[in-house]
Amino acid sequence: MNTIFYKLGGAITILFLVVLLPLGFVMLEIFNNYNHTHLKEETEEMASQYAIMLSAADRLDVDLLVDSMSTETVREIIVFDQTETIIESSGMESFSPRKKSSGTEEIGSYIDPKTNQHYFYAGKPVLDNAIASIYVFSPSNMMSSSAVRVQNALWLSGLGSLLLALGFTFIFSKKLTNPLQMMEKTAKKLARGDLNTKVPVTTRDELGSLARSMNELARELKRYRDNRREFFSNVSHEFRTPLSYIQGYSHALKNGLQQNEDQRQQFIHIIHDEANRMNRLIEDLFELSRMEEERFPLELELVHLGHIAQKAVEKVRPSAGDKEITLVTEIEEDIPDIVGDSFRLEQIFMNLLQNAVRYTEHGCVRVKVLAEDGKVIGTVSDTGLGIASEEIPHIFERFYRIEKSRARDFGGTGLGLAIVKQLTELQYGTIDVESCDGKGTTFTLCFPEAREGDE
Amino acid sequence: MKRVEWVIASIFIALGLHCLVMAGTLLPGTVGDPAYFSLLLRVCFWMGIPILGGFVIYMIIMSIKKRKGKVL
């Protein structure tokens, strides 16, 4: 019973009763008052008519009149003489007129002590020497058959209105509370971990908006849960490989399994490299998590993207030289400044350039910086392995590697592009990638020009 | 709403309408099937007026909102 349907339905029903019951009571009061007034008028009229009749009648007619009155109607009649003695009565002997002066009209109410019945009475003088007055008594609860029908019709229409109100209350309460009940069930399912559940959106009001928000929340929760699972799985996988290297080679060194000094040095190098790799991985993960939580401090200032790109190219040039790769720069001199953190922008270019050099065996790596339509655009393109079209949507995900089998040969933590994307977006920029499998890849960075007042 | 819930609500409404129409035909001079159905139609008409009025007002508000681009 403690559901919103019963509460809402009950409240509306009570509201209907609050309106209908006083209305019904007042209508019945009006009807009763009308009936009583009508009864009084009728009694008076009857008394007047009988008084006129008796003034022209003899004693025998009086007996007949009183007899017929007592047998055919519920009304009573009393006829008094000049000394206020009852001449004829249909059974109301205990009554005596209030006014001593006979020959005047009298109306009032009277309770018969024998039956405790309430009566309206009307007394009228009779212009006859023998008869002084006639009194007609009508029971106060007396109603004509029409009046009884009207009263019954009122009761019936009240009942009909109540039933009609209950029927519509039931429908409206159900219609209003059904979405809430569905949402409550969905919320319970979500709390139990069933994140695939959805609330049907049927309206465009606040309830519809709430349902949409709940569905959005469920989607976000599911995405978060999937990401977290994937993240833990990737982290454990990424750490397992270098750890097993370190464990294996340190065990070999501990037990003196190396054949000579060169091999010992080689084992130490491997352990050192893997330890470095793990360190880089931890640093990258830490940075990435801070970026995703939007707690990453940036020193934003006006910077020249061309200068930053040039600095990054110079840093990468030695490693490009080792692989006989040509580094080409096409940087426009008069490009406008952008708002960004110079160190982090350099990190973006460094990551892209290192990737380009890593995945390019021969050919060239080209860096362009130009201004276009109020934007500063930087591109890093290579003539390397390229990326398959089905891989492109995933390359900015954490730990996503294009060639999983050869990933370790190329080094890197698998977090570089995820960091690049986060850093770019934190500095109001966008990053796009175009690639042709086997022919090369182009990354395009786009930053808005600095406006006046940005410094 | 389930089918059984619609049935319950319909029974209430039908009984209510029947009571109202019976009340209207209880007095002498209004007896007979034609009087019953004629009164039933008129009761339904009066019952339909607020429903229709509410619907028209709702449609007007929605069209004004749509014109102002406030609809989600």
Side-chain angles (χ1 to χ4, degrees), chain A residues 156-338:
Chain A
L156 200 57
S157 60
L159 180 68
S161 305
L162 190 65
L163 286 172
L164 212 57
L166 283 176
F168 282 111
T169 302
F170 188 87
I171 292 174
F172 287 130
S173 304
K174 271 280 162 197
K175 284 274 171 199
L176 282 173
T177 56
N178 262 359
L180 282 173
Q181 284 174 334
M182 273 193 282
M183 274 184 241
E184 189 243 352
K185 279 179 192 165
T186 308
K188 276 184 181 168
K189 280 184 185 173
L190 290 177
R192 280 199 298 266
D194 179 8
L195 299 179
N196 288 317
T197 186
K198 271 188 178 179
V199 191
V201 181
T202 50
T203 57
R204 288 191 293 187
D205 53 9
E206 287 87 348
L207 285 176
S209 171
L210 188 61
R212 268 191 293 275
S213 301
M214 276 191 76
N215 289 340
E216 187 63 33
L217 184 68
R219 261 198 304 276
E220 280 295 311
L221 272 173
K222 189 172 181 306
R223 202 166 63 87
Y224 174 75
R225 190 180 65 179
D226 293 347
N227 280 354
R228 199 187 59 166
R229 278 181 189 165
E230 193 187 6
F231 175 76
F232 281 121
S233 147
N234 288 337
V235 166
S236 59
H237 177 260
E238 290 298 323
F239 274 94
R240 194 175 295 128
T241 316
L243 269 175
S244 55
Y245 271 92
I246 291 169
Q247 201 176 18
Y249 285 107
S250 60
H251 182 259
L253 285 175
K254 186 185 170 191
N255 295 316
L257 298 176
Q258 73 276 8
Q259 288 171 350
N260 49 39
E261 182 57 24
D262 287 347
Q263 202 172 38
R264 198 178 79 89
Q265 284 299 324
Q266 191 189 348
F267 285 4
I268 290 168
H269 269 294
I270 291 171
I271 290 170
H272 183 251
D273 287 348
E274 292 303 323
N276 277 344
R277 186 178 147 72
M278 281 178 65
N279 197 28
R280 276 206 319 276
L281 196 64
I282 289 165
E283 277 175 10
D284 284 356
L285 271 174
F286 183 62
E287 278 202 343
L288 197 61
S289 71
R290 285 201 328 175
M291 284 175 208
E292 286 175 351
E293 286 170 18
E294 295 180 355
R295 288 191 295 115
F296 195 72
L298 286 171
E299 288 178 21
L300 296 177
E301 57 189 336
L302 291 180
V303 289
H304 191 277
L305 196 65
H307 296 165
I308 291 167
Q310 189 64 51
K311 213 154 86 175
V313 167
E314 294 312 320
K315 284 187 181 173
V316 176
R317 199 175 289 283
S319 54
D322 294 345
K323 293 177 79 174
E324 297 176 357
I325 296 168
T326 317
L327 266 175
V328 181
T329 54
E330 294 175 22
I331 298 170
E332 289 179 6
E333 274 305 309
D334 55 345
I335 56 166
D337 286 346
I338 62 164

Side-chain angles (χ1 to χ4, degrees), chain A residues 146 149-150 152-153 156-157 159-161 163-164 166-168 170-171 174-175 178 204 209 212, chain B residues 1 5-6 8-9 12-13 15-17 19-20 22-23 26-28 47 51 62 66 71-72:
Chain A
S146 298
R149 283 186 179 181
V150 170
N152 289 343
L156 200 57
S157 60
L159 180 68
S161 305
L163 286 172
L164 212 57
L166 283 176
F168 282 111
F170 188 87
I171 292 174
K174 271 280 162 197
K175 284 274 171 199
N178 262 359
R204 288 191 293 187
S209 171
R212 268 191 293 275
Chain B
M1 269 175 80
E5 290 166 348
W6 278 113
I8 291 168
F12 272 115
I13 292 169
L15 279 175
L17 280 172
C19 285
L20 283 172
M22 282 302 289
L26 209 60
L27 291 175
M47 197 178 73
I51 296 172
M62 288 310 285
K66 208 175 258 183
V71 175
L72 290 170

Side-chain angles (χ1 to χ4, degrees), chain A residues 426-446:
Chain A
L426 281 173
Q427 294 173 89
Y428 317 113
T430 57
I431 184 165
D432 286 310
V433 59
E434 285 174 40
S435 184
C436 189
D437 202 6
K439 289 185 179 172
T441 307
T442 302
F443 285 92
T444 307
L445 298 160
C446 185

